[in-house]
Amino acid sequence: MKPKTEHATGDGGGVSETNSEFNTWRALQRATDKKRADIIADIVGHPLGAPSVEELDYMNPPLSEDSIRRHLNTLADVGVVRVLEFEPGERIRGYPYQFFELTPEARKLFDRNGLFPEEAWQRQYAAVKKTNRIKELESMPRPDA
């Protein structure tokens, strides 16, 4: 049985902008996949709430960067994540220019369902030993939404 679905208007945002409505049922289906849930947990736990693919790759060693990008695209398609991107003139060579954060709709959905509590995942993320490169990436500024 499929639960009642709520829709909220908005662009859904993200890497792929094919979805124009937030569908809670589809969002939960995609977000509860083990690998995607790990990625979401790392987004929630990130000190700035918007890691780059390089940071997500470090936190998820079994996954390749291409695999992480595919999962991010899937999450973006259902409005769970959106991309924050520096404009070409604002980018710094050798550093990421795309970062991923939860959408407000996804954060509300997860809060309503007790999923991905920020405080717990921030503690978990902070406990991971990081290289100097990852520490540097964590502290770099993010583009505005």
Side-chain angles (χ1 to χ4, degrees):
M1 181 173 173
K2 191 170 164 181
K4 185 177 176 183
T5 304
E6 297 175 19
H7 294 281
T9 58
D11 70 358
V15 177
S16 174
E17 297 185 24
T18 59
N19 188 16
S20 63
E21 292 183 346
F22 187 76
N23 180 306
T24 57
W25 175 246
R26 287 185 64 222
L28 284 172
Q29 279 183 313
R30 300 304 184 273
T32 54
D33 168 86
K34 169 75 171 106
K35 292 174 184 170
R36 286 186 217 117
D38 289 345
I39 290 169
I40 292 168
D42 291 332
I43 292 171
V44 171
H46 188 272
L48 300 175
S52 64
V53 170
E54 186 175 345
E55 291 167 282
L56 291 169
D57 181 51
Y58 182 83
M59 298 298 286
N60 295 277
L63 300 177
S64 68
E65 285 191 11
D66 286 340
S67 178
I68 290 168
R69 288 182 197 284
R70 282 192 302 274
H71 287 300
L72 289 168
N73 279 326
T74 298
L75 293 169
D77 284 344
V78 295
V80 171
V81 299
R82 64 181 171 189
V83 66
L84 302 176
E85 186 171 300
F86 282 114
E87 296 298 322
E90 299 174 353
R91 297 175 185 173
I92 301 170
R93 177 174 275 163
Y95 288 90
Y97 63 90
Q98 288 186 332
F99 303 88
F100 300 86
E101 71 176 1
L102 291 185
T103 62
E105 295 85 3
R107 183 70 267 168
K108 288 177 195 168
L109 172 65
F110 297 152
D111 287 347
R112 275 195 316 267
N113 290 284
L115 299 171
F116 307 108
E118 289 180 352
E119 191 175 301
W121 287 111
Q122 287 169 351
R123 278 193 314 269
Q124 183 76 14
Y125 192 97
V128 173
K129 184 172 172 68
K130 298 175 187 83
T131 64
N132 287 336
R133 168 72 176 180
I134 296 302
K135 289 176 187 176
E136 184 178 13
L137 294 178
E138 281 179 352
S139 65
M140 72 179 283
R142 301 316 195 237
D144 294 328

